[in-house]
Structures are given as structure tokens and as C-alpha cells.
Amino acid sequence: MSVERDQRVAAEAVYWLSAAVIRYTSQPRQLSLTGLATLATLERRGAQRVSELAGVQGVAQPSMTVLVGSLEQAGLVSRRPDPSDGRAVLVSLTAQGEQFLATRRRAAAERLSELVGKLPVADAEALAAAVPALLRLRELQEEAMEAATTSNRSK
């Protein structure tokens, strides 16, 4: 196999695994994937305007306004006036929202741990050896998301 093909196969494997884990830990689904991503954005970046959240998630501002309303009703986020612009609001993750994300991540990690436990020792060792690369992929994805958001703000 060529290096390019190996990279594509590895990328597809990571994608399908992450999609499967998201689906498995989302049953019954309490929030949409956009809702989950919005909570994670607030956790990572702190308070954001609705327009900024819409840009990060790639949805229209009215759609994000509706989503934020649902998240607020569920007690996962709160809104407060933006001190720099009284017409705007800042959306923040609540303690309940932080707990929700932590619980969900634990469930996903436990599910993955169960699956890793079913692997042959050599495969589990190979996976453990890949952890630094997987963490770096996460960093690269977060950097790409930040760059895209910054680019959208400047347009």
C-alpha cells in the first residue's frame, strides 16, 4: 500500500469509529450533534455570542438562536447581556452543561475501553502506541476549527 492510501484508510477508520461511538453513546439521543458540538465549543472557548456559535457550527443565526433557547430550557447554557454591546447576549455553559458533557464523555470512553479490551494484545498495544498521534490529530482539528471561525469573522 502507498503512504497516501495508508493515510486515507487510517482516516476512514478513525472517522467510522468516532461516528459509531457517537451514535452508540447517543441512544436515546438527548441532543442533536449540533447541540453537543455547541456545548463543547462553549466549554472550550468560554462565553460566545449566538452569531459566533452559528459561525463555528456552520448554521444560520436564527437556527442557533432556537438551539440556544432549547439548551437554555434544558439548563445546559445560560444567557447574559454582552457588556461590550447591550444589544447582544453571551451564551455560557452552566454547571449542569459541564456535567452533561463530562457524563457523556465518560460513557463514550467506557464504551471504547470495552471495545479495546476485546482486541488482541498486539492490536491494543498498537492502539496505545498511536495515542500521541491521535491526540495531535485532535489538536490539528481544533486549530482548523479556530482558523475557520476566525476566517468567517473577518468576512
Side-chain angles (χ1 to χ4, degrees), residues 41-105:
T41 297
L42 291 169
E43 180 184 52
R44 195 171 53 253
R45 296 181 175 193
Q48 300 281 299
R49 287 182 174 191
V50 171
S51 59
E52 292 170 324
L53 290 170
V56 170
Q57 301 306 325
V59 300
Q61 187 168 342
S63 297
M64 182 55 68
T65 299
V66 170
L67 176 59
V68 166
S70 297
L71 295 172
E72 186 176 35
Q73 282 184 329
L76 303 174
V77 303
S78 63
R79 295 187 229 204
R80 63 180 164 81
D82 184 340
S84 67
D85 181 352
R87 300 167 297 169
V89 297
L90 291 175
V91 180
S92 301
L93 194 61
T94 63
Q96 185 177 342
E98 290 173 5
Q99 181 62 39
F100 178 84
L101 285 175
T103 299
R104 186 173 160 68
R105 286 185 183 129

